[in-house]
Amino acid sequence: MPEPLRAPGVPSAQAAPADRLVFPPIVEGLFVRGLSGRVTPLLRQQLRSEGLDLDRPLLPAYSLETWIRCVALTAKALHPGESDEVAWRMLGERMIDGYRDTLMGRALLGVMKLLGPWRMLSKAQHGFRTSNNYTEVRITETGPTEAEVWLNEPGMLRYFKQGVMLAMSRAAGGASTTVDVRVFDDHCVTYRVSWKDAAR
């Protein structure tokens, strides 16, 4: 598959990199619930050294840098035979599986199932803001069952969010959903999201 084109970034105007925070629901969704029984003692120790102690109550927030380091460690540890892109995407999907079991996740995903894929995308910014303080979303409709979605996600998180959107679209009833990374740079990414269910 050809490498996606790279485009000039548009950094978030909402939060400077040092102020970007990730909140407990996404951390719980991935590490506590989504990966329950799969975090080895060695990985648990490595995560602790990076600022995520799974043997204590979760903190009110984690820096984006801490989150990136912890996801990177976990992708390597749990999916050593996969490319980085695939490993990060798989963790994004797993996070939604676990997030579904949290109080906030049950409420949010329950609503999305009623909305359908298109309206789920239209409310994506609200959904992402339950997990962090920085995500901005821009959506361009390109067809009745297709859209381009721009996110200000830095670096390899573009593939984690690819998995998140894939799992969320499926949860919203989008049959045969695909989420392709189309254009990206170090600060942002544009996806092509398509599905077969034409419900609006």
Side-chain angles (χ1 to χ4, degrees):
M1 185 175 72
E3 182 178 350
L5 299 173
R6 299 174 185 263
V10 183
S12 170
Q14 198 117 20
D19 299 325
R20 296 184 182 188
L21 301 174
V22 173
F23 301 139
I26 189 175
V27 181
E28 180 184 1
L30 179 60
F31 288 103
V32 178
R33 299 182 183 272
L35 298 177
S36 177
R38 299 191 62 196
V39 178
T40 65
L42 175 59
L43 178 56
R44 187 177 293 267
Q45 180 180 349
Q46 291 173 325
L47 292 171
R48 185 183 301 116
S49 72
E50 295 295 349
L52 173 58
D53 189 344
L54 295 177
D55 294 320
R56 296 190 176 191
L58 297 178
L59 300 177
Y62 296 85
S63 71
L64 178 60
E65 291 76 14
T66 295
W67 173 246
I68 290 173
R69 291 195 302 268
C70 290
V71 174
L73 273 172
T74 305
K76 287 282 190 187
L78 298 187
H79 303 292
E82 302 287 354
S83 66
D84 290 342
E85 292 84 354
V86 171
W88 283 63
R89 189 199 73 216
M90 292 172 71
L91 289 185
E93 294 182 74
R94 177 66 67 176
M95 191 278 289
I96 291 297
D97 291 340
Y99 187 55
R100 192 190 312 270
D101 292 333
T102 68
L103 183 62
M104 186 175 293
R106 278 195 299 272
L108 182 60
L109 292 173
V111 169
M112 288 184 174
K113 189 172 183 179
L114 298 174
L115 293 175
W118 177 253
R119 282 181 290 175
M120 180 277 293
L121 286 175
S122 72
K123 296 182 179 295
Q125 177 142 334
H126 171 74
F128 285 133
R129 282 299 178 88
T130 66
S131 62
N132 66 56
N133 72 338
Y134 68 87
T135 294
E136 296 174 6
V137 183
R138 299 174 191 167
I139 300 170
T140 303
E141 182 176 4
T142 54
T145 59
E146 181 180 295
E148 286 192 349
V149 180
W150 177 94
L151 296 179
N152 59 329
E153 287 294 343
M156 290 297 293
L157 279 177
R158 71 179 73 98
Y159 299 106
F160 184 85
K161 282 295 175 66
Q162 179 188 23
V164 167
M165 288 201 298
L166 185 59
M168 287 176 64
S169 295
R170 289 171 179 164
S176 301
T177 297
T178 61
V179 179
D180 299 318
V181 176
R182 301 284 288 177
V183 180
F184 65 84
D185 66 10
D186 290 339
H187 305 287
C188 61
V189 57
T190 298
Y191 305 95
R192 176 182 175 270
V193 183
S194 62
W195 61 93
K196 284 189 177 179
D197 184 358
R200 303 294 293 243

